Every structure is written in C-alpha cells, then in structure tokens.
Amino acid sequence: MATDNPSPLASVAGFTEGPFANLVSGFSTQATTNLMLQATRACESACDRRLAPFIAVVETQRADAMDIEDAMDAYVPLDPTSQLGFSRAQSLGSTLLTRHFWVREHPPRYPELWTGSIASISLYRSYSGQQAVAVNTVQYETDTGHVRFQLGTFVPPGTTIQVTYSGGYSTVPADLVQACQYMAASMAVKQLDPVDGRSGHDPDALRADALEMLAPYTRR
C-alpha cells in the first residue's frame, strides 16, 4: 500500500495573508489546513497529475516490446550480467526483451523544481517467476519519467512491472501556488455562502481562474 503524506501546493500562512483571508477568518487552523489540502487535490484532479510531493506511490504496468532504436544493442559485446540475461532469454525461447518504461508522474513544467526517486522495482513475469530489480542498475530520468533497464535484464514483453517511487515539486511554482489559492477560495465561498453571494466573491469565477492557471499542467 502506498504511504502518502499530503503536502498542500499553497500554505495556510500564504492564504491567510492574502486577499482571501476574510473567507477563513472563522475557520480553525485545522479547518484551513484541510481546505488547502482539499484544494490541492482538486487541482491535481483537474490536471490528472500528482503535483504536490508524494511518497511511495505504487504503479503497475505491462511491459511492451523493445524500442526499435535499441534493437542493435543485442549485437554489441555484452558484460557478464547482460550476457547471462540474454542466455536465459534464449534458453526459454525469447530473444526480445523490454528495456524501457515510463512512470506516470513527472513534471509537466519546471523540471528543475521537481525531485523524484525510485524505491523499488519488481518484475512479475508470465513465466520464469518474479524478480526484484536493483534500483541502482536502472537509469531514471525525473524530467520525463523514463526508466531504462540495464541491458540483459530479463523483462520479456507482457511482464508486469511494479514500481514504487516518490516525486513532486519540492519547490512549488508560483502559478501553481496561486491556482491552489483560487481553488481554495472557491471552495470556501461555496461552504460559507452558497446561495446569496454576500461574500463578494464568485466561486465559479474563482474556479475558472484556477483552471486557467492549471491548463499548462494538464495531462495531454
């Protein structure tokens, strides 16, 4: 099971010092904290991405065939580990091995502000059992989410790849902070004043502003 310690895109202090402070003047500190977390999740749902820092998220995916640009790798001299992997594949009647996969979460913008790390990778093959892959043998590119297996790792097409990893914006871009504040303000107005609009804020307009700022982060 994933262990997730949620962290808001916008802080309580930043929200209560800004133009929306009056909206939560009657909220307890815990209620305001919950509001910022709810707004963060609403932003992530709108983008179909994890943006705030997350810990130990588990993903599974099915391995596809080897990319064509790596096809020639099979014909270059191999180190002993790689040669063993290929020999094992040949003994089982398979010479086509997967070398790439992509984790789902990676930075849509500002990759220099994103941190990510892989904790574990497990392979569940349709034949020949399962295997834990040493994470120090894989190439992980945090900006694209690309992971490359070491040449010769026995990953036949159809293998289930289970990866546990962490990531997110360690420094949140300013536009995401503002989008989260707009989203939180929209939610607060709806909670406090859902009918007659005496708060002076339009919740739908605030949400629209948030979505406009989130547009560059939305998964395509």
Side-chain angles (χ1 to χ4, degrees), residues 2-3 8-9 22 27 32 45 55 58 61 74 87 91 118 132 134 136 143 155 187 195:
T3 301
L9 292 170
N22 64 304
F27 283 32
T32 308
S45 295
I55 299 173
V58 178
Q61 52 187 283
S87 295
S91 71
I118 293 177
N136 62 349
D143 57 336
V155 194
M187 297 170 75
V195 179

Side-chain angles (χ1 to χ4, degrees), residues 12-219:
V12 171
F15 188 72
T16 55
E17 291 172 357
F20 305 121
N22 64 304
L23 295 176
V24 293
S25 60
F27 283 32
S28 67
T29 300
Q30 185 59 56
T32 308
T33 299
N34 291 341
L35 175 66
M36 303 314 295
L37 292 173
Q38 292 162 7
T40 294
R41 293 302 184 232
C43 290
E44 292 180 330
S45 295
C47 294
D48 190 26
R49 290 183 184 275
R50 299 291 291 266
L51 300 168
F54 58 88
I55 299 173
V57 166
V58 178
E59 285 182 5
T60 57
Q61 52 187 283
R62 187 177 185 275
D64 294 323
M66 182 171 59
D67 284 356
I68 189 66
E69 67 266 21
D70 286 324
M72 293 303 294
D73 285 347
Y75 305 104
V76 300
L78 304 178
D79 60 34
T81 300
S82 300
Q83 187 61 60
L84 284 173
F86 272 106
S87 295
R88 184 179 183 189
Q90 290 171 339
S91 71
L92 293 168
S94 173
T95 58
L96 187 64
L97 299 178
T98 301
R99 291 198 58 209
H100 307 267
F101 73 97
W102 281 260
V103 293
R104 179 173 171 79
E105 305 302 339
H106 57 87
R109 303 183 74 191
Y110 308 115
E112 69 276 12
L113 304 180
W114 182 280
T115 57
S117 62
I118 293 177
S120 66
I121 300 176
S122 297
L123 306 177
Y124 298 89
R125 296 180 284 258
S126 57
Y127 58 93
S128 188
Q130 64 188 61
Q131 174 187 352
V133 177
V135 295
N136 62 349
T137 66
V138 301
Q139 173 189 341
Y140 172 41
E141 300 163 2
T142 57
D143 57 336
T144 63
H146 172 237
V147 182
R148 188 197 308 269
F149 290 112
Q150 184 180 56
L151 186 62
T153 304
F154 187 54
V155 194
T159 297
T160 295
I161 302 171
Q162 184 179 86
V163 55
T164 302
Y165 68 112
S166 304
Y169 282 112
S170 56
T171 299
V172 182
D175 53 353
L176 276 183
V177 174
Q178 190 165 4
C180 183
Q181 290 178 346
Y182 281 145
M183 191 69 76
S186 173
M187 297 170 75
V189 171
K190 287 186 176 181
Q191 292 176 25
L192 294 170
D193 192 15
V195 179
D196 56 17
R198 289 177 297 177
S199 68
H201 296 284
D202 182 346
D204 294 330
L206 289 167
R207 180 176 173 81
D209 288 339
L211 295 178
E212 182 179 358
M213 301 196 75
L214 292 170
Y217 294 87
T218 301
R219 194 181 299 276

